[in-house]
Amino acid sequence: MFSAIEIRGFRCFEHMRASGLTRVNLFVGRNNAGKTSLLEAVEVLATGGFSGLLEGLRRRHEFLPAIEGSPAEIDVVHLFHEHAFRLGSKFSIHDAGSRASVSGEIVEDAAVSACLELRTTDSPRGGRRELSSRGGIPESNRLSLAVMDQVHEDVRFLNAGADDWRALAELWDDVQLTPEEQRLKELLQTLEPSLEGVAFPTGAGKGGPMAQVKLTGQDRMPLGSAGEGMRRLLSLGLHLVHAGDGVLLVDDIDTGLHYSAMESMWRFVIEGAIRLDAQVFATTHSLDCVRSLARVSGANSETTEVASVHRIERGTRETVRYAIDEVAEAAQHHVEVR
């Protein structure tokens, strides 16, 4: 597991350090403090390849516009703190515990005007990807570049938006008829006790397989008709199951959830992270989400050291870490930890 990550020159961070990382880590802070950027830094470190970098840029829709005769390009300059395309721009991400490291730099190349060079713990000599004169990588090359990297299916990133139904269907296929299916069903029943089952019928809808749920005494209905919270919990659960022996990154983990459901959500995440040997990094703007984590973790002495809360403040060089017992006390006295 990662224990202390140091970031230099990556996205909004000139220099940032997050220490005292635990199995489950919740990051809080104001808008634009860098919570999502920190998740992306962990993703880059965990994947150690170009695919993690490019997927972060795509999720943010950071593209250069298409010009006549050329495809749209992924705009890599946003990976760097100064957001400028120039030789020598660089970033680095390092974990003191595992000694994993990734660094990127825009360098000259004899064959082309510039390249993005990536150096990792596993590949200290680095690898290079050609950049256009505008500083981009053609979107059409994204998949071929990803294939060249080692596949890291145990590194999962769940953003605040809705997951693609096809992607969820594929994840569901892997857990169907396993003990994890029953655990997911029990998680969804915390929102809808009458839930009897979940299914992804093949070819249901033009957008691909759409999840359906069966409630007691009712015909099957689309999962979306049961509420956004159901879809969010299913997506969260599926991603956690597939992050076994790896890392789960969740932006705005409480999206679509009523505060009354958050304790069940955290209980599932903590127990799953321990059982599956996964490390979880999540963000939130909700004080209810923080309090729920504190109550769930503090209620069991065996899980008190499993989770922690970290506050990010823009312009500072280190996150402020709160142990769960500190968060519980702060929440009890309505102390602001965001």
Side-chain angles (χ1 to χ4, degrees), residues 18-31:
S19 304
L21 299 175
T22 51
R23 183 168 294 281
V24 176
N25 304 274
L26 180 62
F27 291 88
V28 299
R30 297 178 183 273
N31 290 332

Side-chain angles (χ1 to χ4, degrees), residues 58-171:
R58 292 188 77 254
R59 280 193 301 267
R60 291 182 184 249
H61 303 286
E62 292 171 327
F63 295 101
L64 292 166
I67 57 178
E68 186 175 354
S70 300
E73 297 178 1
I74 302 174
D75 193 1
V76 302
V77 301
H78 300 295
L79 297 172
F80 302 93
H81 178 63
E82 64 270 24
H83 293 272
F85 178 43
R86 56 172 174 263
L87 295 176
S89 293
K90 63 179 65 177
F91 68 80
S92 65
I93 307 166
H94 172 76
D95 174 55
S98 65
R99 299 188 179 277
S101 67
V102 175
S103 62
E105 183 177 0
I106 297 178
V107 299
E108 288 185 292
D109 189 278
V112 294
S113 57
C115 285
L116 174 60
E117 182 175 76
L118 199 64
R119 296 177 180 271
T120 68
T121 310
D122 297 330
S123 181
R125 297 185 62 183
R128 293 186 174 188
R129 299 294 183 265
E130 177 182 343
L131 300 177
S132 72
S133 59
R134 298 191 295 165
I137 294 177
E139 166 69 353
S140 57
N141 290 348
R142 178 182 66 87
L143 292 178
S144 61
L145 292 178
V147 169
M148 295 173 68
D149 286 333
Q150 180 181 355
V151 176
H152 290 269
E153 294 183 349
D154 57 353
V155 180
R156 315 294 308 186
F157 196 112
L158 178 59
N159 60 22
D163 264 3
D164 179 79
W165 286 116
R166 291 181 185 273
L168 288 182
E170 291 176 1
L171 296 178

